[in-house]
Amino acid sequence: MPNMRLDKVKMPEQAPDIRNKNFEEVARGYTEDMAIEEATRCLHCKQRFCVAGCPVNVPIPEFIEEVAKGDFEKAYEVITSENALPAICGRVCPQENQCEGKCIRGKKGESVAIGRLERFVADYVMNHTDITIEKAGSNGIKVAVVGAGPAGLTCAGELAKMGYEVTLFEALHEVGGVLVYGIPEFRLPKELVAKEVQKIVDLGVRIEKNVIIGKSITIDELIEEGYSAIFVGSGAGLPNFMHIEGENLNGVYSANEFLTRSNLMKAYDFPNHPTPIFVGSKVAVVGGGNVAMDAARTAKRLGADEVYIIYRRGEEELPARREEIHHAKEEGIIFKLLCNPVKIHGKEGRVSHIECVNMELGEPDASGRRRPVVQEGSEHLLDMDTVIIAIGQSPNPLIRSTTPGLDVQKWGGIIVNEETMETSKENVYAGGDVVTGAATVILAMGAGKKAAHAIHEKLKK
Amino acid sequence: MYKIVAKQKLNHLVEKMVIHAPFVARKCMPGQFIILCVEEGDERIPLTIQDYDREKETVSIIYQIVGYSTQKLAQKEVGDTLAHFAGPLGVASVLHNSKRRVLGIGGGVGAAPLYPQIKELQAQGVSCDVILGGRDKDYVILQDEFKAVSNELFFATDDGSLGTKGFVTTVLNELLAKGRQYDEVIAIGPLPMMKAVVSVTKPLNIPTMVSMNPIMIDGTGMCGGCRVTVGGQTKFACVDGPDFDGFEVDFDEAMRRQSMYKKQEQHICNLKLGGGTNA
Ligand SMILES: Cc1cc2nc3c(=O)[nH]c(=O)nc-3n(C[C@H](O)[C@H](O)[C@H](O)COP(=O)(O)OP(=O)(O)OC[C@H]3O[C@@H](n4cnc5c(N)ncnc54)[C@H](O)[C@@H]3O)c2cc1C
Ligand SMILES: Cc1cc2nc3c(=O)[nH]c(=O)nc-3n(C[C@H](O)[C@H](O)[C@H](O)COP(=O)(O)OP(=O)(O)OC[C@H]3O[C@@H](n4cnc5c(N)ncnc54)[C@H](O)[C@@H]3O)c2cc1C
Ligand code: SF4
Ligand code: SF4
Ligand code: FES
C-alpha cells in the first residue's frame, strides 16, 4: 500500500537567518529514512507521466522502487543509465516544470520529490562507495569538445565510454561552465562538480584549460589537426545589458561578473582569495530568473542589508525555479515586481540611485506572457549602492566569427539538425545553450549526449 | 602549468618574463594579451604579449610591480611555473602599413606593448619616430630595442634625467611645433597620458590609436567588467579591443572605472604582503 500523505517529506534546510550569512549549502539532503519514506509515495504508474516530463527519460519509478527497498546502489545504476550527473540535476533541475510537474501525485497534494530522491541517491553513492570507472579501449579516433559546461562534459564522457580519444578545450581556468562560475556554492557545492569532472577524466578525457577556441586555435585548425568530429558546447555566456543611462557607473555589474567574482574567483573569501568584489548596503538585482535569484542571494550573503529583485512582470511570470524564489523570500530578499529601471544615477562616478517606473500587464505577447506596459508618471528613485543586471545572456561571438561556414540564427545561436545536432559544417556538432539560448543544465546534457551518439553513428562507418 | 624559462629585471619595478605557453605562442599577434593566474586560486590579471617565439613556443611579458598579483608574480623565478596562462586575447592591432609616418608614444611600462607594433611597422617599411616617457631614466624601458626599430627616438622624464624634462606631450608638442607631420600616432601608457596625447592630436586631426587597460576577469567577453565607452557605445575591451580610436574613448569614465577597487587593492597588499608599493 503506497504512502498516501499529501506532502513531500520535508527537506532539512539551514534556517533562513543563518544561511543568508554563509555560503554553505542551503538544503541539507534527505537521510536514508526520509528517502525511503518519500519513495513509498510513488504509485508506480503504468503511464509514466513523470518520465515523459524528464528531458533525458530517467527511469523514475524504477529508481524510486530501489530507494524504497533501501538498495541505493541499484537505484544509482538505474538513474545513471540515462543521466550522468544526478547529484547536479537533483539539485538544480526545474523539477516543477519537468518530472515533478507531470507526476500524478501532484494532482492532489504535492508530487513525489523526484529531484530530492535523485540527489539523495547520488550523494549516498558518492559518500559510501568507491565507484571504479573502467576506461574503454581506445578506437584511435580523435574528437574535440569545446567548452566544459554540462553539454561538453556529457558529450566528452559519452564519447570516451565508446572508446574515442576525446580532448576537451575550456577557455577558463576551471572546468564546469555555469556550474562553477554561475551557480553559487550554497546551491551547488563546487566540490561536487569537481567529483563529477574527475569521473570524466577517469574515463580518459584529456582536458586542456586556458584554450579559447577561435583565439588560441580555430575550429578549422582543429579539423586540420586530425580531429574527426568537433562538438561545440560553448554556452550562452555573453551578458546582455539594458542600454540605459548610467550603466557604466562604478557599482553596476552584469550578473555574470558579480557571480564569477564570487563563485569562480571566490571573492566571498577575500582577502584569502585576492579577487575583490563590491557590495555596499543596498543592492538592486534587475531580472527574475535563476540568475537574478542567485545574484540577489549572493549579495545578501556578502553582507548587503537590503537586496531588491526588480522585475518588470508579476509574480506568476517570474521565470526562476519556484524553490529559489521561495528560498530568496525566506532569506529576506525584497521583491519589487511590475517595476522597471529606466536610469541609474551616480555620485562621483558611483551608483547612488536607481530610477524605476511601475508597469501594468497588458495583452499577451508572442511568448504568451502578458506584456508589461509603463504606467505614466510612475517614475521614482530608490537609494542603491550596487546594481546587478541579470536580464539574460546570449552566445559569445568568438566561435561563430572565426568559423566560416557555420550557420547561426540572427541572435547568434548555432543552427543544428535537431536529430543529430550536426551544424551546417560537416562533422561539427553543437548543443546546449549555444544552440538554444540560455536554458537548463539537463537540456544541455541531453544535447551533449545526443550529439555523442550521432557522432558515433557517423564515425563508426 | 606554464614554465618560466627566463626572467630579467628592467628596473627596480619592471621585469620581463619568458613563459612556455604553446597555444599562445603559436597564434599571437602584436596588440594581443594574455591572462594569467600566478598560483591556483589567484586573481586573473591581463598582461600584453611583448614578444613571442613560435619555434620555442614561448611568450614574453613585461610587467610593472604595482600591487598584490604583480608582486606575487615577481617572486617567481626561472624554472617555477605559473598556474594559468590563457590567450592570445583581444584583437591584433590594425597596423596601417599604408601610413608613411607613424609616431609611437610609450609611457612607462606602455613601452612594452608598443614595441612589437613599432617593430612590425618598421619591418613593413614604415618610418616610425618614438617618444618614450618615464619617471626617471631607470623607468624608460627597452631603450636599445626601440633604437633598433625607430627612425628617431626621443625621451621625456619627470626629472630630466633622460631627454626632455617633462611629459611625453612636451616632446610631442615640440615635434609638431617644428613642423613634423605624422599620419598616425599610437599612444600606449597610463590613462592620463593617453588622454593628454589625444588632447593634442585631436584638434590637429592626427588619427590616434590608444590601448585600453580596464579591470578584467575572463578576457573572453563573459563578464562585461572591461566595458569602455567608445563613440558613445559600450565596448568590451577584451574582445573589441584593447586598441581603440583615441578620439572616441571616454577617458574620464575609464579612469573612474579603473579605480573601482582601490580600497580593496590597498587592503590586500598591506595585509598579505606587508605594505604596498604605492605605485
Ligand atoms: C547563475 C545561473 C543560474 C542557473 N541556474 C540554473 C538552475 O537552477 N537549473 C538549471 O537547469 N539551469 C540553470 N542555469 C542554466 C544552466 O546553467 C545552463 O543552461 C547550462 O549550464 C548550459 O550548459 P552549456 O554546457 O550549454 O554551457 P555553459 O555551462 O555555459 O558552459 C560553456 C563552457 O564553454 C566555455 N567556452 C565558451 N566559449 C569558449 C571558447 N571559445 N573556447 C573554449 N571554451 C569556451 C565556457 O567558459 C564554459 O565553461 C543557470 C544559469 C546561470 C548563469
Ligand atoms: C589588456 C591589458 C593589458 C595590460 N598589459 C600590461 C603590461 O603589459 N604590463 C603591465 O605592467 N601591466 C599591464 N596591464 C595592467 C595589469 O593588468 C595590472 O597592472 C595588474 O592587473 C595589476 O594587478 P596587481 O594585483 O598587481 O595590482 P592591484 O593593486 O590589484 O591594482 C593596481 C592597478 O591595476 C589595475 N588592475 C587590478 N586588477 C586588474 C585586473 N584584473 N585587470 C586589469 N587591471 C587591473 C587596477 O585598476 C589598479 O589601478 C594590462 C592591463 C590590460 C587590461
Ligand atoms: S534529470 Fe531532472 S527532470 Fe529528469 S528526473 Fe532528474 S530531476 Fe527530474
Ligand atoms: S508519476 Fe509520480 S507517482 Fe507516478 S510513477 Fe511517476 S513519480 Fe511515481
Ligand atoms: S574581461 Fe570579462 S568581458 Fe572583458
Side-chain angles (χ1 to χ4, degrees):
Chain A
M1 192 36 208
N3 170 354
M4 291 311 288
R5 65 180 273 184
L6 290 181
D7 56 339
K8 297 175 181 176
V9 173
K10 262 179 90 71
M11 182 68 136
E13 284 173 355
Q14 283 194 71
D17 59 336
I18 293 179
R19 69 178 190 240
N20 68 12
K21 295 172 196 70
N22 71 47
F23 278 84
E24 283 160 40
E25 196 169 11
V26 168
R28 298 310 214 182
Y30 280 167
T31 60
E32 291 175 35
D33 290 344
M34 289 173 180
I36 292 171
E37 186 186 344
E38 180 61 25
T40 58
R41 292 185 63 231
C42 174
L43 305 177
H44 304 284
C45 313
K46 272 228 177 60
Q47 252 208 306
R48 302 144 89 230
F49 299 104
C50 51
V51 180
C54 168
V56 296
N57 299 318
V58 167
I60 295 166
E62 289 79 358
F63 100 73
I64 293 183
E65 192 172 353
E66 299 303 332
V67 177
K69 286 195 237 158
D71 191 346
F72 308 131
E73 270 120 23
K74 186 83 213 304
Y76 184 79
E77 258 175 51
V78 175
I79 299 172
T80 49
S81 67
E82 296 298 338
N83 179 352
L85 306 173
I88 294 169
C89 294
R91 286 172 167 83
V92 305
C93 263
Q95 287 101 4
E96 71 267 25
N97 305 327
Q98 301 180 350
C99 52
E100 294 183 18
K102 295 277 160 59
C103 170
I104 203 88
R105 296 290 313 257
K107 292 244 184 317
K108 191 163 171 265
E110 289 183 339
S111 66
V112 175
I114 303 168
R116 294 176 184 177
L117 289 174
E118 190 167 312
R119 166 188 165 155
F120 166 78
V121 169
D123 289 0
Y124 179 90
V125 171
M126 233 183 238
N127 295 331
H128 290 85
T129 26
D130 282 325
I131 315 162
T132 42
I133 290 174
E134 299 254 335
K135 252 190 226 184
S138 165
N139 65 13
I141 303 174
K142 281 176 31 171
V143 177
V145 173
V146 179
L153 287 171
T154 310
C155 185
E158 291 291 320
L159 286 164
K161 277 190 222 160
M162 296 185 275
Y164 290 87
E165 284 184 16
V166 186
T167 308
L168 176 55
F169 295 97
E170 168 55 48
L172 293 173
H173 65 279
E174 292 275 1
V175 176
V178 170
L179 307 180
V180 292
Y181 79 70
I183 303 179
E185 181 75 18
F186 57 82
R187 229 164 36 88
L188 181 64
K190 302 307 153 223
E191 196 193 337
L192 204 142
V193 180
K195 280 188 186 160
E196 296 292 8
V197 169
Q198 188 54 45
K199 284 193 215 153
I200 286 163
V201 173
D202 291 345
L203 282 168
V205 173
R206 199 164 66 100
I207 297 182
E208 285 277 4
K209 296 189 269 192
N210 304 313
V211 176
I212 305 98
I213 303 301
K215 286 282 174 192
S216 315
I217 187 166
T218 63
I219 299 278
D220 285 326
E221 285 163 343
L222 286 174
I223 296 171
E224 279 165 33
E225 288 205 355
Y227 289 97
S228 304
I230 296 165
F231 174 78
V232 180
S234 53
L238 189 79
N240 298 340
F241 283 90
M242 304 187 73
H243 306 292
I244 58 175
E245 207 180 319
E247 230 169 7
N248 289 350
L249 286 164
N250 288 5
V252 183
Y253 287 102
S254 75
N256 268 5
E257 180 181 0
F258 190 77
L259 290 170
T260 299
R261 281 181 182 273
S262 181
N263 297 324
L264 182 69
M265 307 311 297
K266 310 241 179 303
Y268 66 80
D269 191 27
F270 185 86
N272 290 326
H273 284 81
T275 302
I277 195 163
F278 177 83
V279 190
S281 149
K282 295 185 177 186
V283 179
V285 179
V286 183
N290 286 325
V291 185
M293 299 305 141
D294 284 344
R297 298 171 70 197
T298 297
K300 188 82 188 178
R301 282 164 173 75
L302 288 169
D305 299 310
E306 289 173 24
V307 182
Y308 296 84
I309 290 273
I310 299 184
Y311 180 59
R312 65 197 180 115
R313 302 182 201 244
E315 171 99 29
E316 290 283 295
E317 286 81 10
L318 281 169
R321 293 177 67 209
R322 291 297 119 180
E323 184 179 328
E324 305 315 325
I325 298 168
H326 171 71
H327 278 154
K329 285 187 176 164
E330 281 186 341
E331 287 165 17
I333 308 298
I334 306 157
F335 283 67
K336 270 192 73 77
L337 303 172
L338 291 167
C339 182
N340 200 33
V342 289
K343 182 175 171 182
I344 303 165
H345 296 257
K347 219 186 247 151
E348 289 157 15
R350 280 212 91 89
V351 172
S352 63
H353 298 85
I354 188 165
E355 183 177 335
C356 297
V357 289
N358 294 335
M359 311 294 282
E360 283 167 332
L361 288 182
E363 295 299 307
D365 64 11
S367 71
R369 293 189 300 182
R370 290 172 65 197
R371 213 167 62 86
V373 278
V374 177
Q375 249 179 38
E376 288 301 325
S378 63
E379 294 82 6
H380 56 283
L381 287 180
L382 301 166
D383 277 2
M384 285 302 154
D385 301 305
T386 299
V387 174
I388 302 169
I389 313 285
I391 57 162
Q393 290 105 240
S394 19
N396 190 308
L398 275 184
I399 289 179
R400 63 176 187 263
S401 65
T402 52
T403 312
L406 189 69
D407 288 352
V408 296
Q409 313 268 8
K410 261 209 211 88
W411 52 267
I414 298 178
I415 298 172
V416 295
N417 169 344
E418 289 188 10
E419 295 302 308
T420 61
M421 310 309 283
E422 193 166 4
T423 65
S424 57
K425 211 172 159 77
E426 207 188 345
N427 296 330
V428 178
Y429 296 72
D433 281 5
V434 74
V435 167
T436 55
T440 61
V441 171
I442 190 71
L443 285 172
M445 287 175 50
K449 188 169 166 185
K450 199 185 212 180
H453 290 282
I455 290 171
H456 180 56
E457 277 306 308
K458 185 143 175 199
L459 294 186
K460 76 179 182 197
K461 281 179 198 151
Chain B
M1 298 289 252
Y2 303 83
K3 199 166 182 164
I4 300 167
V5 297
K7 183 179 171 182
Q8 183 191 349
K9 241 181 158 34
L10 301 182
N11 66 44
H12 82 280
L13 282 183
V14 178
E15 298 180 349
K16 175 173 167 170
M17 252 183 206
V18 183
I19 319 278
H20 183 247
F23 274 103
V24 185
R26 276 180 224 146
K27 270 200 88 101
C28 60
M29 299 291 285
Q32 291 190 295
F33 64 96
I34 55 91
I35 286 192
L36 63 80
C37 298
V38 180
E39 280 171 16
E40 214 56 69
D42 272 343
E43 202 176 8
R44 293 170 64 97
I45 61 163
L47 295 168
T48 309
I49 296 166
Q50 186 262 332
D51 208 348
Y52 51 85
D53 186 326
R54 301 222 198 272
E55 304 227 310
K56 293 194 184 129
E57 302 191 314
T58 58
V59 174
S60 314
I61 50 173
I62 291 186
Y63 53 91
Q64 179 159 1
I65 301 166
V66 293
Y68 178 75
S69 296
T70 42
Q71 209 155 325
K72 199 159 168 191
L73 178 61
Q75 287 164 4
K76 296 287 167 190
E77 299 299 337
V78 172
D80 290 346
T81 54
L82 302 179
H84 301 290
F85 198 87
L89 299 165
V91 279
S93 305
V94 187
L95 298 171
H96 300 282
N97 56 358
S98 57
K99 304 272 160 99
R100 282 170 302 123
R101 291 151 310 174
V102 167
L103 175 65
I105 303 179
V109 75
L114 181 65
Y115 173 72
Q117 299 197 31
I118 298 297
K119 183 175 151 189
E120 177 66 26
L121 283 168
Q122 195 253 2
Q124 293 176 6
V126 180
S127 158
C128 301
D129 288 350
V130 173
I131 309 171
L132 298 181
R135 214 180 293 174
D136 62 42
K137 65 178 189 332
D138 288 341
Y139 281 87
V140 180
I141 59 170
L142 302 176
Q143 296 181 25
D144 293 338
E145 285 84 347
F146 273 103
K147 232 167 250 160
V149 295
S150 52
N151 176 41
E152 259 195 276
L153 181 58
F154 306 91
F155 301 106
T157 47
D158 295 0
D159 64 353
S161 57
L162 179 69
T164 303
K165 182 170 168 20
F167 299 120
V168 289
T169 42
T170 319
V171 180
L172 170 65
N173 278 318
E174 280 170 16
L175 292 175
L176 296 173
K178 275 196 256 169
R180 295 262 179 138
Q181 303 224 328
Y182 296 102
D183 301 307
E184 184 178 15
V185 172
I186 303 173
I188 309 181
L191 288 168
M193 180 210 95
M194 294 191 285
K195 183 184 175 187
V197 168
V198 168
S199 72
V200 174
T201 56
K202 195 173 175 179
L204 300 171
N205 203 21
I206 310 170
T208 302
M209 287 304 279
V210 297
S211 184
M212 302 304 284
N213 52 3
I215 294 177
M216 294 187 175
I217 305 181
D218 55 298
T220 66
M222 186 265 271
C223 74
C226 62
R227 52 200 195 277
V228 290
T229 301
V230 183
Q233 284 191 323
T234 296
K235 300 277 180 190
F236 289 5
C238 69
V239 286
D240 302 321
D243 295 350
F244 292 103
D245 176 353
F247 291 2
E248 302 289 336
V249 168
D250 183 340
F251 285 104
D252 294 330
E253 178 188 278
M255 286 190 255
R256 209 185 64 216
R257 287 186 64 79
Q258 217 182 39
S259 66
M260 170 119 179
Y261 299 102
K262 268 245 139 70
K263 257 205 219 133
Q264 285 100 320
E265 283 156 3
Q266 263 159 18
H267 172 66
I268 191 169
C269 252
N270 293 334
L271 196 77
K272 298 193 77 172
L273 296 165
T277 56
N278 285 332

